[in-house]
Amino acid sequence: MSVDFSKNATERPEPCKAEIKGNIPSWLQGTLLRNGPGIFTVGDTNYNHWFDGMALMSSFTFKDGEIIHRSRFLRSDTYKANMEANRIVVSEMGTMAYPDPSKNFIFKAITFLNHTMPDFTDNGASNFIKYGNDYYATSETNYISKIDPVTLETLEKVDYLKYLPVNLASCHPHYDKEGNAYNIGTSIATKGKTKYVLFKVPAVSDKDKGKKGPALKNAEVICSVPCRSLLMPSYYHSFGMTDNYIIFVEMPFKLDILKMATAYMRGVSWASCLKFCPEENTLIHLVDRKTGKEVETKYYTGAMVLYHHVNAFEDDGHVVFDVIAYTDNSLYDMFYLSNLKEKSQFDEKRVSKPAYKRFALPIHADKSVPVGGNMVKLKYTTASAVKEKEGKFMCQAEVLCEGLELPRINYDINGKRHQFVYGNYVGDSAEVVAKFDMETKNMVYWDEDKCLPSEPVFIPRPNGESEDDGVVLTSVINYNPGQSSFILILDGKTFKEVARAYVNTELNKDMHGFFIPH
């Protein structure tokens, strides 16, 4: 299948009723939001990397057996500035924006200074975050944009730095049963220190209801973890959380701050300042959510790059966590638009294959175990934690399967032991969604000729009888001539099609989705 990833999308802000084939479960009431890059060319200028494209938000609202679709570009300051100039004037991670050659020296000098101490983009094209009762489009910078989840209108730009000392932040927060949000950000060289900041955004309390201002104003720092390289903080995209712990993986995939400061002058992108150091170990941090203190035991594993945590849980004195890991950073390079034009989206010769890995961390050191002994006592995993010396463990993961990415679980059991994972299978193509059974190691698939499904999102049936009692939603780009794209509804148990809804408009390849139950 030939997919043009660099084609500009067209927004469709007016609600449009989809054509239903099949029967939508009566209990399925809510809105699926999806976010991803949608504009890649502005005037005579082009983005270099697919992740850099300006955000297009889409929504699919399920109500009484009907589905309403709409889409709208995020009206960020980045969008406004680029459109007003009719050229890309705000730099992104993989695309450095340079002034029009006709601009005078003073303008060019100001542009240079702005890139030496960069004010990052507010192009939130990765995901959605809920803080309090508000929803935000987000990427991984200090800017997020409040949106109306019904109309998809852009309401307000919010700067993390007004509330927390973070220059970068994950776009994959966690939520507890009370509605509190947990996230992690990087504080770059604040008071001479670079650190990772774990923070909590409390749910809106009764006394705060009706008050203006973002829920971030009540944000609390849980813990600050020093960066092991002062001016080279680790890149991260997500983290893990259990009832009592937060798991942060500090990879040897680093952002060189000094190189970033000179990137504009050297004519290279900020992405070129990301460095993978395969000779270094990966450091795993375990933080107690209640005390805000890091567990004294030091956990290490070999060099790896990961973007998505699957889930984490506690069992018999261990913290078990699952991730999708790579042997190098070639995945990012694959998404340069020049590379995407050359071959199919996933090319195993150019990109290391994603591996579903399970780690097990013994929370307390057993002093009776000798150096060289395995501290993991769980019978259902081959993951190990070998004692190198008192308080230091070298961890080896169990590889559960290969080829699964964009993992999603039934989030009602987040932080608990899970059996099923849904995701995109990328072994031979990028055109398959899959359900993986942790116990049987069996994987079942849905695919259709010339169809490209998005990240699947599991929606549990209210009062469901099992972990997989619900439906899986995925938006599907249909490349068959004369056929419309559609939102697909799969049975969570059987993974068979329940219904589909044709939207009679072009859908765009996106990144992540967020379901708001009604």
Side-chain angles (χ1 to χ4, degrees), residues 113-130:
L113 291 172
N114 285 341
H115 281 79
T116 303
M117 292 297 291
D119 185 21
F120 291 119
T121 177
D122 64 341
N123 175 33
S126 295
N127 204 356
F128 295 98
I129 284 179
K130 184 183 181 185

Side-chain angles (χ1 to χ4, degrees), residues 146 157 183 200 232 329 331 352 355 371 428 438 491 504:
K146 182 180 174 182
K157 178 179 177 179
N183 210 345
K200 171 184 174 181
M232 292 185 68
N329 62 317
L331 182 71
S352 67
V371 171
D428 302 315
M438 304 288 295
D491 184 282
N504 195 28

Side-chain angles (χ1 to χ4, degrees), residues 274-312:
L274 280 165
K275 183 182 181 183
F276 178 57
C277 306
E279 71 282 359
E280 295 185 17
N281 283 330
T282 298
L283 179 58
I284 304 169
H285 300 274
L286 196 59
V287 176
D288 189 307
R289 280 174 57 185
K290 295 179 175 62
T291 66
K293 294 182 178 180
E294 190 171 355
V295 172
E296 291 184 0
T297 304
K298 299 300 179 186
Y299 307 97
Y300 296 87
T301 190
M304 65 178 182
V305 173
L306 71 90
Y307 300 96
H308 296 114
H309 282 249
V310 182
N311 188 27

Side-chain angles (χ1 to χ4, degrees), residues 24-42:
I24 298 173
S26 59
W27 58 263
L28 184 57
Q29 308 276 332
T31 297
L32 174 66
L33 299 176
R34 296 208 61 85
N35 196 356
I39 296 178
F40 305 95
T41 301
V42 184

